[in-house]
Amino acid sequence: MKLSKLKNLTIALLTLLTHQLSFGQGKSISITIDDVPNTSKFEKDSFRSVLMNVLDSLDIPFTIFINETKISKTDYSKKNEQLLEAWIKNENALIGNHTFRHPRYSDVGLENFMSDVEKGEKLTRTYASKHKKSLKYFRFPFNDLGLDSLQHTQVKSALSKKGYIITPFTIESSDWMFDTVYQHYLKNGQTSKAHKIGELYVNKTVELVTFFDSLASQIYNRPVKHIYLCHDNAINADYLSKIIERLNNENYEIISLEESLTDPIYQQEDTYYKKWGISWLYRWMPTQKERVKWMQQEPDLSEIQSTYDELTKK
């Protein structure tokens, strides 16, 4: 059978399967958290993980992506190790590797990158084994999969040989940018401004969920199982619960990453061979023209972008 015919058959079968799975499927999203554990905030909060406590109160599944270098970022490495273990043993948590020191793959190259991947799994595997959990998920720092198709292919092969599942996302809301501004206002005693940034973060996140849900529905003619990317930071410690509440009110079910990945959309070929960390909904589009068309329709983040730019230039 010719390759083109095989590809067409595969697409047809995927379409049929997605239609079959869509029967009775409602809206759903999984929560994935990068840059765990936030040891600096842990110290400031008298050695409590506020975000973990919030997640426990919500009693929802979530996935963490760990940077083990954070253990030595403060003077309390033993307490930080205990924090890491607490995240790993949490009954609602799935575990992922986010490398040791969060390098850009396109900058450091395959050998250095894979060395950092291996360095970043040592403590994690020890604690995962202790608590009878597996370490099989991986997320790229900056969602940078490489400069070109060769780099993409090489690193995917290397990670696959180590048994890792590369973890995509369909939705993110630049929470790191909101968090920088939010923490600036808190540090300077401008609590009213900080609160406004928190509320803006919630509103823009829900807007982005609605946008990407609409995009996916138009492409796949059904609800898809979304994956939301956020970070272990102050703004999520204070406002992620409000985002979850809003999503629940809009009939989104919070599901595990493992369940989200059963959606056939995640079996599609990634055709985007650049280093920028865009949504996989864009990566699966066949042309850059189509990507740009949709990107231009995204909810406007210029307000937080301009404030962030102003603060970081000082």
Side-chain angles (χ1 to χ4, degrees), residues 72-87:
S72 58
K73 287 295 183 183
T74 74
D75 295 330
Y76 301 94
S77 58
K78 189 62 179 178
K79 287 181 180 290
N80 294 340
E81 270 198 48
Q82 292 170 352
L83 172 63
L84 175 63
E85 182 176 7
W87 273 110

Side-chain angles (χ1 to χ4, degrees), residues 58-102:
L58 294 169
D59 193 25
I60 58 171
F62 59 90
T63 303
I64 57 171
F65 290 91
I66 295 165
N67 299 118
E68 289 190 14
T69 189
K70 291 180 176 292
I71 300 301
S72 58
K73 287 295 183 183
T74 74
D75 295 330
Y76 301 94
S77 58
K78 189 62 179 178
K79 287 181 180 290
N80 294 340
E81 270 198 48
Q82 292 170 352
L83 172 63
L84 175 63
E85 182 176 7
W87 273 110
I88 289 171
K89 74 177 183 181
N90 189 293
E91 62 182 10
N92 286 325
L94 294 176
I95 313 303
N97 186 343
H98 199 39
T99 71
F100 181 75
R101 58 184 180 87
H102 206 274

